[in-house]
Amino acid sequence: MNEQEFLAGYDPSAYPSTAVTVDVVALTIREGALHLLLIRRGQPPYLGHWALPGGFVQPDEDLTTGARRELAEETGLGGDRLGRVHLEQLASYGTPDRDPRMRIVSVAHLAFAPDLPDPVADSDADEAGWLPVTALPSRQLAFDHARIVDDGLERARSKLEYTPLATRFLGPEFTIAELRGVYETVWGHPLHAGNFHRKVLSVPGFVESTGVSTERGGTRGGPRARLYRAGDARLLHPALLRPAREETVR
C-alpha cells in the first residue's frame, strides 16, 4: 500500500476525538501595577466565570496564528502594534477532565507589551477587562486557568532574570528608573536604585545609551535622566536575580 492509498482509506473516526485550543496569558503594566487580561464568559460551560482569552484553533491555523488572532480579537490590536507584542508558547494542558465538553488540549501562550488598549468583549463574552494581578486570589477562574495564570506569571518573572524582555514593557526609549519600575512591578519587590543601575549597565548588550536625556529632571527636581534603548543581547549574563533567589545563591 502506498501513501496515497493509505490516506484514502484512513478513518479518523476510529480514534478518540480531541480538540485543540489556545489560551493567552496577556500581561501589561497599568498605573504602576501588573495587569492580566480576562474575559467573563457569556455562555456555558462556566457561564459568568472569568477566563483567559482563547478559543479553538481553526483548521487553517498553526498555534501561534491562533493565539495572535485571539489576542487581536480581545484587544483590538492589529498590524504593527500586534507585531510588537511579545508572544511565546508557555505550556500544554491536557488533563482529561479539564473541559466538561470533550477532550480538549490547550496550548497556552504568554504575551506582554506596553500600553495595551482596553479590551472589547467578543460574541461569546459578557465582559472583558484588565485585572490587577493582586486581585486574582478573589476571582474564581474557569477551567484550569488559575494554574495556567500561575505558570504564566512565574515564566514572566523568571524571564526577566535572564533575558532583556523587561524592555518590551516599555517604549522605544526609557530611563533606568523606568526599567527598574518594570522589574519591581512584575517581581512584586522594591529594588535598590543604585544597585539596579549598576547591574543593568554591567550586562553587555542589555541596554544602550541614546545619547540624550529627559527634558526635565525627576518629580523632586535634580538632574535630567539619561535615556536608553534595548540592546542586542538575547540573554543576560550575569543574570538579574530576584532578591529571594539572589540570597539563595549567596
Side-chain angles (χ1 to χ4, degrees):
M1 182 181 298
N2 60 31
E3 184 88 359
Q4 188 174 4
E5 292 171 335
F6 169 78
L7 293 176
Y10 185 78
D11 181 15
S13 65
Y15 300 91
S17 177
T18 301
V20 178
T21 61
V22 287
D23 290 302
V24 182
V25 181
L27 301 171
T28 195
I29 294 177
R30 291 185 154 209
E31 299 178 351
L34 188 63
H35 282 65
L36 171 72
L37 178 60
L38 291 176
I39 64 166
R40 190 190 296 274
R41 291 183 57 81
Q43 59 186 32
Y46 294 98
L47 174 66
H49 284 66
W50 288 95
L52 294 168
F56 290 93
V57 178
Q58 301 303 305
D60 60 344
E61 290 181 326
D62 60 22
L63 296 172
T64 300
T65 301
R68 287 193 175 277
R69 173 181 53 78
E70 290 292 340
L71 185 60
E73 290 176 356
E74 297 296 346
T75 62
L77 284 176
D80 291 341
R81 291 195 69 189
L82 182 60
R84 289 196 294 268
V85 174
H86 173 79
L87 181 70
E88 67 177 66
Q89 199 170 117
L90 175 62
S92 299
Y93 300 84
T95 303
D97 59 353
R98 64 177 300 275
D99 192 307
R101 291 170 292 189
M102 61 181 293
R103 181 69 190 273
I104 296 178
V105 175
S106 177
V107 181
H109 289 68
L110 175 66
F112 47 83
D115 303 322
L116 290 176
D118 290 329
V120 179
D122 62 16
S123 58
D124 62 353
D126 282 342
E127 185 181 355
W130 292 102
L131 185 73
V133 168
T134 54
L136 285 176
S138 65
R139 304 296 175 106
Q140 185 178 4
L141 301 185
F143 306 105
D144 53 357
H145 288 187
R147 176 190 172 192
I148 298 175
V149 170
D150 286 344
D151 291 347
L153 289 172
E154 177 56 30
R155 170 75 67 85
R157 288 163 178 155
S158 64
K159 293 279 281 192
L160 264 59
E161 292 185 305
Y162 61 89
T163 76
L165 289 177
T167 61
R168 300 297 289 269
F169 281 102
L170 299 167
E173 298 181 351
F174 49 84
T175 66
I176 297 297
E178 289 171 335
L179 181 62
R180 187 180 78 250
V182 172
Y183 276 87
E184 291 178 333
T185 300
V186 176
W187 284 352
H189 296 285
L191 301 173
H192 186 278
N195 287 344
F196 180 83
H197 192 283
R198 174 181 53 79
K199 289 178 181 178
V200 168
L201 297 187
S202 69
V203 179
F206 187 5
V207 299
E208 59 183 34
S209 175
T210 64
V212 299
S213 301
T214 56
E215 295 182 358
R216 301 178 181 178
T219 56
R220 298 182 180 179
R224 296 182 298 170
R226 294 181 180 180
L227 288 170
Y228 294 84
R229 65 172 67 95
D232 59 2
R234 295 189 176 182
L235 294 175
L236 303 184
H237 184 73
L240 275 69
L241 300 179
R242 282 171 275 184
R245 280 171 46 81
E246 196 169 27
E247 290 297 326
T248 302
V249 171
R250 289 177 182 175

